[in-house]
Amino acid sequence: MVYVNLLPLRPELASEAPYGAPQLDVPVLLNVNENPYQPSAEVVATIAADVAEAARSLNRYPDRDFLPLRADLATYLRRESEVELAPEQIWAANGSNEVMLHLLQAFGGPGRAAASFAPTYSMYPEYARDTHTRWVAGRREADFTLDPVVAAATIEAEQPAVILLASPNNPTGTALPLPTIEAVLDAASRVTVPDAPAGAGAVVVVDEAYAEFRRPGTPSALELLADHPNLAVTRTMSKAFTAAGLRLGYLAASAALVDALRVVRLPYHLSAVTQAAARAALKHTDVLLAQVDSLRAERDALVAWLRAQPGPDGTPLIVADTDANFALFGPFPDRGVIWRGLLDRGVLIREVGPPGWLRVSVGTPQEMQAFKDALAEVIGLGSRGGW
Ligand SMILES: *Cc1c(COP(=O)(O)O)cnc(C)c1O
């Protein structure tokens, strides 16, 4: 990296490493919350046919406003959460990561702040850094819930222009009750954003990347959209929809908020190939979401199993309540030892979250068995060695 010294890199980037979990060639991959089931042959065939059709006009730029795809996504959300949305209330980009960057580009910037509540998704501070937005890390409670009074106090003290709430949260799996989100929206409405029209208030983003995995009775923040023009709810096809490789994330918000994002997106940011593949995949919503129920059941069984395992001090492991397709468990005196022990046995999980904790994604029943066997062995070694 010696050449870096010769480049006029922004000083705040000089010691930064690119984001990303290790992409290792290991038999059991449980580290990035992917869906373990490949798209079926039927889904692959539709995608191939529709992409071939789109390829015939690749000499032309794609449809800049992609209203047909936005209409399909609105139809999907109506079905999934029973919330009525117009195509103009949907926005999409190459992954919900890009959608959230658009939000920071439009509503953050120099002189403004963005806030979230840690531990949470580690990409949020990067969107802030890349848009010259001051970053505020508020806090969650010891059980990873968000105290609405603490959240409102942070918002009042810091006056952020953008507030990011992951629900279910990554890496903890914690979903937020609607009254907590409403308390944040209320505090956000009283924020004075620098250089914004009086009374504009802050934008609240609820990142629902894992929404489809939520337990029965856990609501979606989509239900709050009708009353909150400053709210954006982001979703993705990367997790439940088993299409992480597609790079299609989207949001639902007021049409006015979506219009603001159209200003900052790059021209033709969503390729004709992506649009065609996403619409093709959405034709098979039933098939693609068929495994979500079994992944949820597998998740609940995993949590119960982990809670029955002895931790380092002999008492059972602690597992955060989870509405997502992963579980955060621990704490271990040296989580690196556990992580490496699993890797040595062909199982890759993620060293992420507060010190001592580990995150494991929900895989197929076979993958879960491999994880359980490996973990029981590694914990057994640890306790015999006195940790
Ligand atoms: C996986 C994930 C996303 C989705 O990212 P994409 O860019 O859509 O693949 C968004 N937010 C959180 C918290 C995630 O864990």
Side-chain angles (χ1 to χ4, degrees), residues 19 32-33 93-100 120-124 127 166-171 207-210 234-239 243-244 247-250 326 359:
Y19 170 86
V32 287
N33 303 340
N94 300 279
S96 52
N97 269 279
E98 188 181 12
V99 170
M100 287 186 273
T120 191
Y121 192 39
S122 53
M123 277 305 298
Y124 298 156
Y127 314 143
S167 178
N169 185 40
N170 180 5
D207 177 356
E208 291 194 347
Y210 300 96
T234 64
R235 293 280 187 110
T236 182
M237 292 180 75
S238 295
K239 309 284 164 51
R247 308 309 300 130
L248 199 288
Y250 55 103
F326 55 82
R359 192 192 70 194

Side-chain angles (χ1 to χ4, degrees), residues 190-246:
R190 290 190 301 271
V191 168
T192 304
V193 176
D195 303 317
V203 166
V204 176
V205 182
V206 180
D207 177 356
E208 291 194 347
Y210 300 96
E212 286 90 347
F213 297 104
R214 67 195 190 272
R215 288 172 290 183
T218 306
S220 163
L222 290 170
E223 294 177 21
L224 302 174
L225 279 175
D227 298 325
H228 296 281
N230 286 24
L231 172 65
V233 181
T234 64
R235 293 280 187 110
T236 182
M237 292 180 75
S238 295
K239 309 284 164 51
F241 243 93
T242 195
L246 174 62

Side-chain angles (χ1 to χ4, degrees), residues 152-329:
T154 304
I155 292 163
E156 193 184 334
E158 302 284 354
Q159 300 284 295
V162 181
I163 298 152
L164 294 147
L165 303 174
S167 178
N169 185 40
N170 180 5
T172 66
T174 322
L176 297 173
L178 290 190
T180 302
I181 298 175
E182 286 176 303
V184 168
L185 283 161
D186 183 52
S189 72
R190 290 190 301 271
V191 168
T192 304
V193 176
D195 303 317
V203 166
V204 176
V205 182
V206 180
D207 177 356
E208 291 194 347
Y210 300 96
E212 286 90 347
F213 297 104
R214 67 195 190 272
R215 288 172 290 183
T218 306
S220 163
L222 290 170
E223 294 177 21
L224 302 174
L225 279 175
D227 298 325
H228 296 281
N230 286 24
L231 172 65
V233 181
T234 64
R235 293 280 187 110
T236 182
M237 292 180 75
S238 295
K239 309 284 164 51
F241 243 93
T242 195
L246 174 62
R247 308 309 300 130
L248 199 288
Y250 55 103
L251 64 69
S254 62
L257 193 152
V258 169
D259 258 351
L261 303 180
R262 294 171 64 219
V263 176
V264 298
R265 59 117 171 88
L266 291 172
Y268 315 107
H269 70 291
L270 210 56
S271 86
V273 170
T274 302
Q275 292 181 37
R279 296 195 68 201
L282 285 162
K283 288 181 190 170
H284 293 281
T285 300
D286 289 336
V287 185
L288 280 161
L289 294 184
Q291 283 102 0
V292 168
D293 282 343
S294 65
L295 286 167
R296 273 205 230 106
E298 199 67 55
R299 180 247 346 258
D300 293 338
L302 169 71
V303 170
W305 181 84
L306 281 167
R307 285 183 175 152
Q309 302 310 300
D313 59 2
T315 62
L317 284 177
I318 300 173
V319 187
D321 283 333
T322 174
D323 277 280
N325 65 337
F326 55 82
L328 189 76
F329 64 101

